[in-house]
Amino acid sequence: MVPPWRRGSGGGRGGRGGRRGRGQQICHYFQKDSCRRGASCLYSHDLSRGSNSPGERPEETPEQQQAKADYISWKRLIKTAPRPNDLKTIEKLWSGAIIILNGDDRDWKQMLPRDLDDDEHYGRDHIETLLGMKAHAHGHSTFLTLARPFLLVITHHALLGCLSVDTAVGGLYNFISGTNGSRAIPFFQLLSSILEQSINSAAPGPEPNLETTLIAMLRALQELLRREKRAAFHGDLPGLINSIEDLVGAAGIDTYSIAFQVLRNSIGELRGIIGRATGLLQQEREPQVDGVSTNVVTSTYPRDIVVPQDRHDNDKADIAKIKILPTEDEIRSDLAEFLPSTDRDQPHFLADQAERHLDTHFRLLRHDILGEMSEAIGGMMVALEADPKSFENPKLNLGNTRAYVNLQAHISYVSFERRRGLEVQISFLQPFSLRKKSSSERRRWWEETKRLEEGILLVFLFVKEAKSSLLFFTVSQKCTDANKNFGLSSNTHLATITAKLATRNQSDLETLIRLSSSNTRGILAEIPGALPATFVPILESIQNMQRLSRLPFRQWILPDRVATYDNGSKAFDVPPALYTRSPGFSFSLKPILKDAGDDFSIDPRSPPDDADTIDELEKRTALDRGQCQALVAALTREFVFIQGPPGTGKSYLGVQLMRVLLACKMRAGLGPVLVVCYTNHALDQFLEHLIEVGIEKIVRIGGQSKSTILEGKNLRLVSKGESKTKLEGYSVAMAIQAHETHEKNIKKILGALHGSQKRRDWINIKAYLSSMYPRIHRQFDRVDKDGFKTVGGEPFDNWASEKPSKESDSASTEPIEQLLAQATANVYSVSAHNRKRLVAYWVEEIREEKSNELFDEIKAADGSQQQSIDVYNEVDRRVLETADVVGVTTSGLAKRIAALQHLTCKIVICEEAGEVMEPHILSALLPSVEHFIQIGDHQQLRPQINNYSLSLESQQGLLYQLDRSQFERLSTGEPGRPKFPVAQLNVQRRMRPQISTLIRETIYPRLLDHDTTKNLPDVVGMRKNVFWLDHDNFEEGARPDQQQKSQSNVWEVDMTHALVRHIVRQGTYSSTDIAVLTPYTGQLQRLRAKMRNDFEIVLSERDEETLMKEGFHAQEAFSETDQTKGQLNAGMKPLEKKKMSDLLRIATVDNFQGEEAKVVIVSLVRSNKERKVGFLKTTNRINVLLSRAQHGMYLIGNTDTYSNIPMWARVRDMLQGTDSRSHAGTPALGLVHVAIRRTPTTSLSSNTCRVHRSAAGGFQPAIIPVPELVTTAKTAVLAQRCVKFAALTLDVLCAVSSPVRHVLRIAHGLANTEEIAVCRALHRVAVFRVTNAALDLSLAHISVLGYAAKNALKATVRLVQTERTPG
């Protein structure tokens, strides 16, 4: 096909576009990489002209050569000025542009908007000609023919979706808009009028291009108002939207069609933008209902409508205008922050439900992260002003706010590097425990602690002229190298951290420079729970959604009130996703059918509960019935909730659903499917499952993955293989060059600032005086008007350093203007005292001037850096576009929201949806999403928040309920509104029935046990598979004198430790099969300290972070030497290197959801007279705790304390009924704890049985003679020093042949002895001799249990006889 612009010349080559100022040959350096000469280069940087050295680039294919020729031919059109009434050129120009944008050559796609916006060409003139067209009689069809391709060009995804050309596209929209929309709005009005006439005069039936034109028209308007906010104030805009809405109605578009839904959503968003711009927010009240109202009113007291304003300088009614980080005025304010309720029956100053929803969640999330911190800092600022000596108080803290306070902090240096930007070095006192340590010990401590990790928020508090103030920073580099000048471990008393300003306003930059020059001392507070990179993008995304009045699926997210008599339980009629509404579309289920030759499909229009479809699906796939119902619901609804109780195969269903969706990816133009998970562990697990079923085109975003399978799937690695286009290479080169220029200028300015502040001499002041006060400057010349030259020091330095005379020179109060006038006339007539005043004034003016210059240069440098970032984001976006699946955590989504929002992604699947806060869910609603699937369980853990007063668990928090996920809010229903339909899985495959009964009888009455769970093995070495060990040993409680506020119970630590060792010693379970759970970080820390001698303790990242936030890092500051000494003094063996097989998982309940273990041991901690349960009072946490174990679960806790909670009381009664509960003081303790399992063994030939021993690094068989009818038992018992045993020993790792001595022997090769297998002894142990077997169990089992648990590694021992020895 010949492009239309090549069918005729369309004009000559004259005008502005004829030639460029530089030569026609392409620059050799630019062609290879980048040219440092930039705009001053004599050679061309226009790669579209071709190369004078073709050998330096790969040979172009015929297709590339054709695309290049076509583009050059099209470009001739914009090199010529438009001519009057040249309709042919207009048609060629825009139709040809569409062909280029629809083509495959990425280079020319990106060149097109750049060339259209280039001042050297006539692209803007051609745009102005088209926008200024008038339609005369019988010219309506021609007008539409010319306007339609123009609209398709400016709304094309190659323009709007490409970050690399965003600046050029922004320039085009700026021109199209005109002043406040004066150029665009009249054009759209005329187009709307012509479309109306076209519809009225057209023959019956739909206009073939009408839908396309209307969609392009509305998209252009949306983009225009997004980029040119002033255009929303145009007076004719509301009437234009009304006209377009009338056109949609008159066009007879099918209300079920994709086009109608897109048009309706666009019109709604445009109305919201206009209403917000004019301040007349649409008062769209919820519809009133007839009949019986189902509204459940929590309070009948009428509340006033509060409009946020005038509390402080950041108290705005429009959240889009609120600064994310609190301002100083906001922090100082004593007035309560405006916090709207999530209860939609409470009054709110915004009547529009979508705007109210976004406003509410923005304010609550911001307060959750920063509210308590702001209050604490405000209180500290007042305290510092009242008592400046508190700066030196080592016990200074921020109250209940989790923070570390570092004393005697000061800004030691300000620097700028091209790659890192403006940075400051902040020095402060080393923690007291490190000041007497060596540099290597300090370095190790700083490397191991999670304090001052990159990205953490810092607050620098200081007092100047009796007024306290602050600056926000974020850690940009944590340097622990003792050899670096600015590091955390290089100095005995001072630590230095590298940080960046967290704000981008000029006043804060000026304050920073002033602090740096004056060496002002202050306090550096570290807020470990606040990382701006994780919450700022979320809040900004909500602000942007509010600004654009965009809330996808608002009818499902914010259901209207209903009038029913059944408590509002009305089923939603949720339609299928937009992409499925094309005629004849269906989902093929071939990828998941049992029979490879089978074929079965689902019509997305079919009812989600169609029994025949579900029956067929259950018959032909490996899914159970609940999973089949959930799959059908997911395919037939655009907004989907799937609830998966513990162990019901949520991930398995997600994998099968993904296989079905990807089967129609190309046909439906889905783009990549975005998978969002709350935790890295869950994301890795889900993506690994996808790889197992053959889905390989996966890109994982984020660097926190622990999966080796996903190493080659990380975006950072995959994007390295994606090349930049020519324009992108040019843009990066120009940006680097500009950035280098800015870097030089900034360093020069910083040098001048540092110099003038530290040395007020002629070198640092002469340039300023020459520019601002030339007459004063001339008076300091070395050569006077008579030609005499001054010798010695600089005249200015001599003049400024003259000391005042006590007799004649006293303090002066003349205005500075008067002194300047005096100095202008005769600088030497100024008194010595006033000279000091003048110099100080000039230095301050230099600081202000240079600070202004610095801010402008930094802003420009940020702009050039952003240009490079946009290119790399565009490269990442292209990589993501090619993937089948993109995986990201909720925090990773926040960090990469800029690139992801430009991604064409029609399906989003959110795993662990019950744990995700609603603001995070809102930010996951990408602009292109059409199908949103949430998989989770609202009856397990809720989202984690920081501020307890915003939580459902607090009385005050009932108004806010920030920790209630969208999944829970909609699935349980709101008062007076229907519950959203939820597909629930109901067959669990994890827990043995004795365990699953505990949650089935309390939470999930429909939960069924799969047959495989009924045959799970018993826990070896334990009498019961499920048991609650009751005790009455009280908890330790939180220590008020320390930062740690968490609870612990030492007795439970010891018992848990002994029980873990006992189960591991049975030889059946490795430590990796066991998980130890506890609700409190204080107990977590104690368990880790207790067990680290025996096992390599594994904590999740989230538990590590929680420990750090709770202040437990300080307990690990001691060296290994100190630790070893303490262990030896306590009778413990020294810390030794663990094997990887000795890994033991210890976790808090909140951070173990979605995980499981064969055996779970739970330390409940709380044991008190008040019967306070704390964290485990909510059914959500109890549910998670009781549903993690597969084979066995053992609870250690005070039943009297926990029975205060109804669910715990029910659990206690169920266990009591099966004899699975006992008190620690009963005679059953030996059996409860040791729980020996006796199994008869038959003798082998020659009265021997085969055992294993460790020899030469591996297990080899050894033959031991044994008596007939020997009874063996598996336990982990060795002898105390005062007891000696006669026992049969099998499966021995540590055994020697002497009954008395402690020896260390190693046997090589096969051992065949008449007495015992002499095997590798890993350490010194008590030893045994084989004698006759007996069946009785001595009480020595109990007395030696603690010693045995500390000293046995792995042995199969049967106690047969005991006798006490002296001592």
Side-chain angles (χ1 to χ4, degrees):
M1 176 181 176
V2 180
W5 64 89
R6 302 196 71 185
R7 299 174 193 151
S9 63
R13 289 178 53 94
R16 293 181 300 169
R19 289 182 176 271
R20 299 186 62 161
R22 61 182 61 173
Q24 297 303 301
Q25 288 188 328
I26 293 179
C27 172
H28 166 76
Y29 296 102
F30 180 75
Q31 189 175 353
K32 289 185 64 177
D33 183 17
S34 63
C35 175
R36 298 177 63 87
R37 296 185 180 89
S40 62
C41 181
L42 299 177
Y43 296 93
S44 173
H45 288 181
D46 186 354
L47 297 179
S48 65
R49 297 180 181 275
S51 172
N52 59 318
S53 305
E56 296 179 5
R57 287 207 305 261
E59 190 71 24
E60 291 181 336
T61 65
E63 291 79 8
Q64 290 174 324
Q65 293 173 355
Q66 183 62 47
K68 178 178 178 180
D70 290 344
Y71 185 80
I72 292 173
S73 179
W74 175 85
K75 190 174 177 180
R76 291 196 190 101
L77 299 176
I78 60 172
K79 288 184 175 182
T80 305
R83 295 179 296 185
N85 301 319
D86 188 0
L87 303 183
K88 188 176 181 181
T89 298
I90 295 176
E91 191 273 332
K92 287 181 180 180
L93 178 65
W94 301 111
S95 298
I98 291 175
I99 293 176
I100 293 171
L101 294 176
N102 288 337
D104 297 326
D105 198 303
R106 194 179 298 134
D107 287 313
W108 307 123
K109 286 183 181 182
Q110 294 184 359
M111 290 295 292
L112 188 143
R114 176 174 174 266
D115 284 338
L116 276 174
D117 191 49
D118 195 336
D119 287 335
E120 296 185 7
H121 305 317
Y122 292 97
R124 292 188 176 188
D125 299 87
H126 283 279
I127 292 173
E128 187 173 21
T129 299
L130 184 139
L131 295 176
M133 289 190 307
K134 304 297 180 185
H136 302 289
H138 308 295
H140 295 163
S141 176
T142 303
F143 186 95
L144 293 176
T145 302
L146 298 177
R148 184 180 293 115
F150 166 73
L151 293 174
L152 294 177
V153 168
I154 65 173
T155 59
H156 201 285
H157 181 69
L159 268 65
L160 302 185
C162 181
L163 289 162
S164 297
V165 298
D166 193 64
T167 302
V169 173
L172 290 175
Y173 269 94
N174 177 269
F175 180 78
I176 291 169
S177 170
T179 305
N180 297 338
S182 59
R183 185 178 290 123
I185 303 304
F187 167 76
F188 287 120
Q189 284 179 305
L190 178 59
L191 178 59
S192 177
S193 174
I194 291 173
L195 283 172
E196 182 182 5
Q197 296 178 41
S198 175
I199 291 173
N200 293 334
S201 61
E207 166 70 26
N209 293 317
L210 179 61
E211 293 179 2
T212 305
T213 304
L214 286 172
I215 291 173
M217 184 179 178
L218 287 172
R219 281 182 176 168
L221 269 171
Q222 285 178 285
E223 193 67 21
L224 182 77
L225 298 184
R226 183 179 77 85
R227 294 177 181 270
E228 302 298 322
K229 297 177 178 59
R230 291 176 178 268
F233 294 95
H234 196 287
D236 294 335
L237 197 52
L240 172 62
I241 302 304
N242 290 335
S243 299
I244 297 175
E245 189 169 25
D246 292 339
L247 283 175
V248 174
I253 302 173
D254 180 7
T255 57
Y256 187 79
S257 67
I258 297 174
F260 182 83
Q261 296 298 322
V262 171
L263 291 169
R264 186 182 68 173
N265 294 341
S266 298
I267 289 172
E269 291 179 9
L270 285 168
R271 287 196 185 282
I273 294 173
I274 297 167
R276 284 174 46 76
T278 57
L280 301 175
L281 300 177
Q282 299 299 312
Q283 304 299 305
E284 186 180 319
R285 298 288 182 182
E286 285 195 50
Q288 298 298 313
V289 298
D290 298 325
V292 178
S293 173
T294 58
N295 181 28
V296 179
V297 182
T298 56
S299 172
T300 59
Y301 188 82
R303 296 177 180 271
D304 295 331
I305 295 180
V306 179
V307 179
Q309 57 184 0
D310 302 330
R311 288 179 176 85
H312 45 77
D313 61 0
N314 203 28
D315 189 35
K316 310 291 185 183
D318 184 359
I319 60 169
K321 297 178 181 179
I322 294 177
K323 296 177 181 176
I324 303 296
L325 292 178
T327 63
E328 183 174 326
D329 190 46
E330 179 181 1
I331 290 173
R332 287 182 174 277
S333 174
D334 293 328
L335 299 175
E337 186 176 354
F338 172 66
L339 293 177
S341 172
T342 54
D343 183 355
R344 293 165 63 192
D345 293 322
Q346 293 291 340
H348 192 284
F349 71 95
L350 292 173
D352 181 86
Q353 292 297 306
E355 291 176 347
R356 169 182 178 157
H357 193 65
L358 294 171
D359 177 275
T360 298
H361 283 283
F362 173 88
R363 295 181 190 276
L364 293 180
L365 178 61
R366 182 174 180 267
H367 181 74
D368 177 59
I369 298 168
L370 302 170
E372 287 185 334
M373 179 203 74
S374 298
E375 293 174 9
I377 291 175
M380 182 176 282
M381 292 173 71
V382 173
L384 291 176
E385 290 175 351
D387 181 15
K389 292 183 179 179
S390 56
F391 269 112
E392 309 297 327
N393 184 1
K395 295 185 178 180
L396 195 65
N397 60 61
L398 292 179
N400 291 326
T401 302
R402 294 169 179 170
Y404 304 113
V405 176
N406 302 291
L407 302 178
Q408 295 188 26
H410 63 279
I411 311 295
S412 52
Y413 195 69
V414 181
S415 62
F416 185 90
E417 296 295 336
R418 180 168 61 86
R419 295 184 180 275
R420 306 189 62 84
L422 187 75
E423 290 184 323
V424 299
Q425 278 72 42
I426 308 175
S427 298
F428 54 89
L429 279 181
Q430 287 276 13
F432 182 78
S433 60
L434 299 183
R435 294 175 198 170
K436 295 183 179 180
K437 300 288 184 181
S438 66
S439 60
S440 61
E441 289 175 320
R442 287 195 302 271
R443 176 174 183 170
R444 185 170 65 240
W445 189 88
W446 279 113
E447 287 175 344
E448 291 177 356
T449 183
K450 287 187 173 293
R451 281 192 56 181
L452 293 175
E453 291 290 321
E454 288 188 15
I456 284 178
L457 184 67
L458 305 175
V459 186
F460 185 79
L461 288 163
F462 61 95
V463 174
K464 198 74 171 178
E465 297 176 354
K467 180 185 177 184
S468 59
S469 190
L470 80 162
L471 287 177
F472 286 108
F473 295 91
T474 56
V475 176
S476 59
Q477 186 178 15
K478 180 180 179 179
C479 177
T480 59
D481 190 347
N483 298 319
K484 299 287 186 181
N485 292 330
F486 295 110
L488 291 167
S489 56
S490 55
N491 190 284
T492 304
H493 296 286
L494 285 179
T496 301
I497 190 67
T498 304
K500 289 186 175 184
L501 269 175
T503 52
R504 292 177 176 268
N505 58 70
Q506 187 167 346
S507 62
D508 284 351
L509 179 63
E510 292 176 353
T511 301
L512 171 64
I513 298 301
R514 190 180 295 112
L515 291 174
S516 173
S517 59
S518 61
N519 201 28
T520 302
R521 300 283 163 163
I523 293 171
L524 185 67
E526 174 190 352
I527 317 296
L531 279 79
T534 62
F535 67 80
V536 169
I538 294 289
L539 292 170
E540 289 178 342
S541 176
I542 296 175
Q543 285 179 316
N544 195 47
M545 293 175 74
Q546 184 79 302
R547 191 179 292 116
L548 299 177
S549 295
R550 188 181 68 81
L551 182 62
F553 308 115
R554 62 173 291 170
Q555 69 272 38
W556 316 128
I557 294 174
L558 299 169
D560 291 332
R561 191 181 294 278
V562 294
T564 64
Y565 293 86
D566 58 354
N567 295 323
S569 57
K570 174 187 174 183
F572 284 76
D573 184 17
V574 184
L578 275 178
Y579 66 84
T580 68
R581 300 187 194 180
S582 303
F585 182 91
S586 64
F587 288 104
S588 172
L589 299 185
K590 273 189 174 182
I592 65 171
L593 298 178
K594 294 178 183 177
D595 187 351
D598 196 3
D599 192 10
F600 183 57
S601 61
I602 291 180
D603 185 345
R605 297 173 180 81
S606 60
D609 55 354
D610 183 64
D612 292 337
T613 302
I614 294 170
D615 289 341
E616 283 296 313
L617 196 57
E618 187 177 12
K619 185 190 306 181
R620 300 190 187 189
T621 68
L623 302 173
D624 61 48
R625 189 164 189 83
Q627 291 170 333
C628 291
Q629 292 171 334
L631 181 68
V632 173
L635 298 178
T636 56
R637 293 174 180 152
E638 66 177 1
F639 197 76
V640 188
F641 283 169
I642 298 174
Q643 182 187 8
T648 53
K650 294 187 294 289
S651 296
Y652 177 76
L653 173 65
V655 170
Q656 304 311 309
L657 174 61
M658 183 70 75
R659 297 173 72 184
V660 174
L661 293 173
L662 291 180
C664 69
K665 177 189 174 186
M666 298 301 295
R667 181 160 44 101
L670 298 181
V673 178
L674 182 67
V675 176
V676 182
C677 293
Y678 180 59
T679 62
N680 282 291
H681 173 79
L683 180 62
D684 288 346
Q685 205 171 45
F686 186 76
L687 297 182
E688 286 176 355
H689 290 329
L690 294 180
I691 292 175
E692 288 171 4
V693 298
I695 300 173
E696 289 287 344
K697 295 185 70 175
I698 294 173
V699 177
R700 209 267 201 208
I701 298 176
Q704 300 301 316
S705 173
K706 296 294 187 292
S707 170
T708 55
I709 298 174
L710 297 172
E711 284 180 351
K713 309 289 186 183
N714 192 276
L715 175 62
R716 186 174 299 176
L717 184 64
V718 177
S719 61
K720 289 181 179 179
E722 179 72 11
S723 61
K724 294 189 285 289
T725 65
K726 298 172 185 176
L727 177 62
E728 288 167 348
Y730 175 77
S731 298
V732 170
M734 292 299 98
I736 291 174
Q737 184 174 322
H739 208 66
E740 288 175 348
T741 302
H742 296 312
E743 180 185 13
K744 293 177 183 177
N745 294 338
I746 290 171
K747 287 183 174 180
K748 184 177 179 181
I749 294 170
L750 286 174
L753 278 167
H754 289 311
S756 63
Q757 302 297 323
K758 294 181 179 179
R759 297 183 303 278
R760 301 181 175 187
D761 54 16
W762 180 242
I763 294 176
N764 293 302
I765 292 180
K766 64 179 179 180
Y768 169 74
L769 289 179
S770 176
S771 173
M772 302 301 296
Y773 302 100
R775 294 180 61 183
I776 297 178
H777 177 271
R778 284 195 292 271
Q779 296 181 57
F780 293 119
D781 285 345
R782 281 187 175 274
V783 180
D784 62 18
K785 61 182 179 179
D786 298 323
F788 292 100
K789 185 177 181 180
T790 304
V791 296
E794 290 289 347
F796 174 86
D797 296 339
N798 297 331
W799 173 84
S801 61
E802 183 175 326
K803 295 182 179 179
S805 170
K806 293 183 180 180
E807 294 81 11
S808 60
D809 202 1
S810 59
S812 174
T813 59
E814 292 99 327
I816 198 69
E817 293 79 9
Q818 184 176 334
L819 293 180
L820 288 171
Q822 181 183 354
T824 302
N826 183 359
V827 74
Y828 291 99
S829 68
V830 179
S831 67
H833 174 78
N834 285 335
R835 294 179 187 183
K836 305 292 184 188
R837 290 182 59 200
L838 274 178
V839 172
Y841 174 76
W842 288 333
V843 168
E844 180 63 17
E845 279 201 326
I846 291 172
R847 189 194 60 74
E848 291 181 1
E849 178 188 348
K850 293 300 180 183
S851 294
N852 284 331
E853 292 180 17
L854 181 64
F855 180 78
D856 292 339
E857 284 290 340
I858 289 176
K859 189 174 180 180
D862 288 343
S864 59
Q865 186 179 39
Q866 188 60 47
Q867 188 176 346
S868 295
I869 291 173
D870 285 344
V871 169
Y872 289 111
N873 280 339
E874 168 60 19
V875 172
D876 287 345
R877 187 199 65 81
R878 289 203 298 268
V879 169
L880 296 175
E881 287 276 12
T882 64
D884 287 338
V885 179
V886 173
V888 65
T889 61
T890 51
S891 59
L893 175 71
K895 294 176 183 177
R896 300 305 301 266
I897 194 72
L900 290 172
Q901 284 187 333
H902 285 78
L903 193 64
T904 303
C905 178
K906 295 184 179 180
I907 302 176
V908 175
I909 299 177
C910 181
E911 276 263 16
E912 304 176 304
E915 282 192 88
V916 182
M917 296 171 67
E918 184 143 6
H920 290 256
I921 287 289
L922 295 175
S923 68
L925 295 172
L926 303 181
S928 58
V929 65
E930 297 177 6
H931 197 176
F932 195 59
I933 303 168
Q934 296 188 50
I935 304 175
D937 184 5
H938 60 281
Q939 290 175 305
Q940 295 188 56
L941 290 181
R942 289 192 172 108
Q944 294 185 18
I945 63 175
N946 301 308
N947 195 324
Y948 181 71
S949 63
L950 300 179
S951 166
L952 274 163
E953 297 179 22
S954 71
Q955 190 64 34
Q956 182 183 354
L958 292 175
L959 276 174
Y960 310 115
Q961 303 183 9
L962 183 61
D963 60 343
R964 183 175 62 166
S965 65
Q966 185 184 95
F967 194 107
E968 179 181 1
R969 177 175 66 83
L970 294 177
S971 60
T972 58
E974 297 174 280
R977 296 169 179 86
K979 296 180 181 179
F980 195 86
V982 179
Q984 187 186 75
L985 311 183
N986 60 356
V987 179
Q988 72 88 14
R989 294 169 170 80
R990 173 188 297 163
M991 301 161 277
R992 66 179 336 114
Q994 296 98 310
I995 300 174
S996 63
T997 297
L998 301 178
I999 60 173
R1000 177 167 41 252
E1001 297 295 326
T1002 52
I1003 297 178
Y1004 306 105
R1006 296 173 51 206
L1007 188 65
L1008 304 175
D1009 296 320
H1010 194 268
D1011 290 342
T1012 56
T1013 64
K1014 300 172 184 178
N1015 300 315
L1016 291 173
D1018 294 330
V1019 179
V1020 177
M1022 303 298 288
R1023 181 164 57 86
K1024 292 284 186 178
N1025 294 315
V1026 182
F1027 198 88
W1028 187 335
L1029 174 61
D1030 183 18
H1031 70 87
D1032 52 12
N1033 297 276
F1034 285 166
E1035 66 203 45
E1036 303 302 306
R1039 295 184 59 180
D1041 60 330
Q1042 292 188 1
Q1043 184 178 0
Q1044 294 93 333
K1045 308 297 182 186
S1046 191
Q1047 309 287 338
S1048 61
N1049 190 308
V1050 175
W1051 190 90
E1052 289 188 12
V1053 170
D1054 292 337
M1055 187 55 62
T1056 303
H1057 179 215
L1059 186 54
V1060 170
R1061 290 184 62 121
H1062 165 67
I1063 294 175
V1064 170
R1065 295 311 177 271
Q1066 304 312 302
T1068 300
Y1069 298 110
S1070 69
S1071 58
T1072 55
D1073 296 326
I1074 302 171
V1076 176
L1077 302 185
T1078 182
Y1080 291 97
T1081 53
Q1083 189 77 341
L1084 180 76
Q1085 176 68 4
R1086 286 185 179 272
L1087 287 166
R1088 177 168 70 167
K1090 182 76 173 179
M1091 297 188 183
R1092 66 195 316 169
N1093 271 355
D1094 302 301
F1095 308 101
E1096 191 72 36
I1097 303 300
V1098 178
L1099 298 183
S1100 69
E1101 291 178 5
R1102 291 161 64 191
D1103 275 328
E1104 290 277 12
E1105 292 170 2
T1106 305
L1107 283 172
M1108 185 265 294
K1109 290 178 185 177
E1110 294 283 356
F1112 286 103
H1113 70 285
Q1115 298 183 15
E1116 298 177 14
F1118 53 82
S1119 65
E1120 289 184 10
T1121 303
D1122 298 332
Q1123 184 185 29
T1124 303
K1125 290 178 181 177
Q1127 291 165 346
L1128 292 175
N1129 292 336
M1132 298 171 63
K1133 64 184 179 182
L1135 184 67
E1136 60 187 42
K1137 186 176 180 180
K1138 313 298 189 309
K1139 295 182 292 184
M1140 291 302 291
S1141 59
D1142 292 335
L1143 296 177
L1144 176 66
R1145 177 69 190 276
I1146 304 179
T1148 55
V1149 177
D1150 283 4
N1151 291 332
F1152 202 70
Q1153 178 164 317
E1155 302 186 52
E1156 60 187 27
K1158 290 181 179 178
V1159 179
V1160 171
I1161 301 171
V1162 182
S1163 172
L1164 295 172
V1165 180
R1166 301 308 298 268
S1167 176
N1168 53 71
K1169 294 179 180 179
E1170 298 80 11
R1171 302 178 72 193
K1172 291 182 178 179
V1173 174
F1175 283 144
L1176 289 179
K1177 68 182 178 182
T1178 61
T1179 57
N1180 301 72
R1181 283 195 177 97
I1182 302 173
N1183 180 19
V1184 173
L1185 183 146
L1186 296 177
S1187 59
R1188 300 302 99 196
Q1190 297 171 295
H1191 299 176
M1193 178 178 66
Y1194 302 94
L1195 305 172
I1196 303 174
N1198 187 327
T1199 57
D1200 182 61
T1201 297
Y1202 279 87
S1203 297
N1204 190 35
I1205 304 300
M1207 183 170 175
W1208 278 120
R1210 181 82 176 105
V1211 170
R1212 177 203 60 191
D1213 294 343
M1214 284 188 282
L1215 293 177
Q1216 187 78 45
T1218 59
D1219 194 27
S1220 296
R1221 170 184 168 271
S1222 177
H1223 193 274
T1226 65
L1229 177 62
L1231 290 178
V1232 170
H1233 295 303
V1234 179
I1236 298 176
R1237 185 181 177 203
R1238 294 184 292 273
T1239 56
T1241 62
T1242 58
S1243 61
L1244 302 179
S1245 59
S1246 304
N1247 291 329
T1248 63
C1249 71
R1250 187 172 298 274
V1251 298
H1252 290 83
R1253 51 93 176 167
S1254 174
F1259 286 108
Q1260 297 180 11
I1263 304 300
I1264 304 176
V1266 295
E1268 291 284 344
L1269 301 177
V1270 167
T1271 299
T1272 64
K1274 293 187 175 181
T1275 184
V1277 176
L1278 288 181
Q1280 211 170 21
R1281 290 189 178 88
C1282 61
V1283 178
K1284 78 179 176 184
F1285 281 78
L1288 173 68
T1289 306
L1290 303 176
D1291 291 345
V1292 182
L1293 281 180
C1294 306
V1296 293
S1297 58
S1298 168
V1300 180
R1301 299 191 311 274
H1302 288 245
V1303 297
L1304 181 63
R1305 296 183 56 186
I1306 297 177
H1308 296 283
L1310 288 176
N1312 190 347
T1313 172
E1314 293 300 318
E1315 294 184 333
I1316 192 167
V1318 182
C1319 306
R1320 182 189 300 274
L1322 300 183
H1323 59 285
R1324 297 185 179 186
V1325 295
V1327 293
F1328 314 96
R1329 177 178 293 278
V1330 178
T1331 60
N1332 191 27
L1335 297 178
D1336 61 322
L1337 298 174
S1338 168
L1339 291 178
H1341 264 114
I1342 299 171
S1343 65
V1344 304
L1345 179 63
Y1347 184 81
K1350 292 177 182 176
N1351 292 280
L1353 280 184
K1354 204 172 192 180
T1356 303
V1357 178
R1358 172 70 174 95
L1359 172 67
V1360 292
Q1361 177 183 346
T1362 64
E1363 63 177 350
R1364 296 196 176 275
T1365 57

